[in-house]
Amino acid sequence: APSRYRGRELHELYGCMEKKSLAVCQCFPPLPWALAVGLWSRRKNEAFGCSVGHWSLSFGGAFGKWRSFSFIGSHATSAVWESSKACGQSKQALEVSLDWLDRRGFRPNTGVYVSLLQECGNRRDLEGGNRIRAHIAKFRFKANVYLGNQLIQMYIKCQSITEARQVFDKMPVRNVVTWNIMIRGYARHENGEEALKLFWQMQRESVRPDNVTFISILKVCVSPGSLKLGKLLHVKIVEGGFGSDIVVGNALLNMYGKCG
């Protein structure tokens, strides 16, 4: 069945999309639409996929078409998101993708989840981020450290440091990036005490700090009373082999300047 649509009908559908002929395009059954999205998803035809996404999201009534793809699963979700985002339609694509996650139970790949979380964070869309988190938990992606890191980052951008910490504490596997995101989040939210607690905890758990860790933790040393701590961190930096790192060095100069 798919092959008979790859010729004339797909060509006609593409032509209608180019002309934004909504009335004509609505006459096509779901299968050519599904193939239009699916073909881009598999072949990575950016130009064609962009036309599909841009056309569909240009019409309010076209959302029903996207939501009717109950039989092509994650390929459609990925293609709608990526093609529409490439056309600057990320806000509408985010709404459609979240609707598919909730109503259809589709399971996108890790890359789509990451992209959706980044979009929610950039838009400070806490509700959308919570919906994605629930979907990730449903499909047992909890052990994916990359997704966990993106969840924490999203919550921090949405000013929800408590939820970010909840995700952090529940992660079965954490890497140095995980610790850095959380420490930097506390530092940005002016919670130096929690940032320092995490810094010492990561070393107790034998996680070696990197240059990003030190740059982040030095930001909590902002007063004369922090000078002793700043000097201790300076020792740790040298011991860790970051004494010649230019960015770390600038952070140290900034710290000494503020601490007197």
Side-chain angles (χ1 to χ4, degrees), residues 62-122:
F63 281 95
K65 283 290 187 183
W66 291 117
R67 290 169 178 154
S68 70
F69 298 160
S70 59
F71 50 87
I72 58 173
S74 60
H75 289 292
T77 308
S78 302
V80 169
W81 170 250
E82 296 296 344
S83 63
S84 303
K85 185 179 66 171
C87 297
Q89 303 279 342
S90 56
K91 181 178 179 180
Q92 297 95 318
L94 177 61
E95 293 172 358
V96 174
S97 297
L98 289 173
D99 180 76
W100 280 12
L101 294 178
D102 291 341
R103 298 191 184 195
R104 301 293 187 183
F106 289 161
R107 183 177 180 173
N109 56 40
T110 301
V112 174
Y113 275 130
V114 167
S115 193
L116 289 171
L117 286 170
Q118 289 174 342
E119 188 67 22
C120 286
N122 292 337

Side-chain angles (χ1 to χ4, degrees), residues 11-21 24-25 28 55:
H11 180 74
E12 290 178 2
L13 178 56
Y14 180 75
C16 290
M17 287 188 289
E18 286 289 292
K19 297 175 183 178
K20 296 189 177 181
S21 302
V24 178
C25 284
F28 285 86
W55 181 89

Side-chain angles (χ1 to χ4, degrees), residues 171-218:
M171 287 177 66
V173 179
R174 296 189 288 250
N175 57 20
V176 68
V177 176
T178 316
W179 293 88
N180 287 345
I181 293 171
M182 200 69 241
I183 290 172
R184 186 167 60 244
Y186 277 128
R188 287 179 178 175
H189 284 77
E190 299 182 351
N191 194 336
E193 183 178 352
E194 287 299 323
L196 283 167
K197 284 181 180 179
L198 279 182
F199 176 75
W200 299 120
Q201 181 184 342
M202 74 182 294
Q203 293 177 81
R204 289 194 300 271
E205 296 187 16
S206 301
V207 180
R208 185 175 181 269
D210 61 11
N211 58 341
V212 176
T213 314
F214 287 116
I215 292 168
S216 299
I217 201 63
L218 283 169

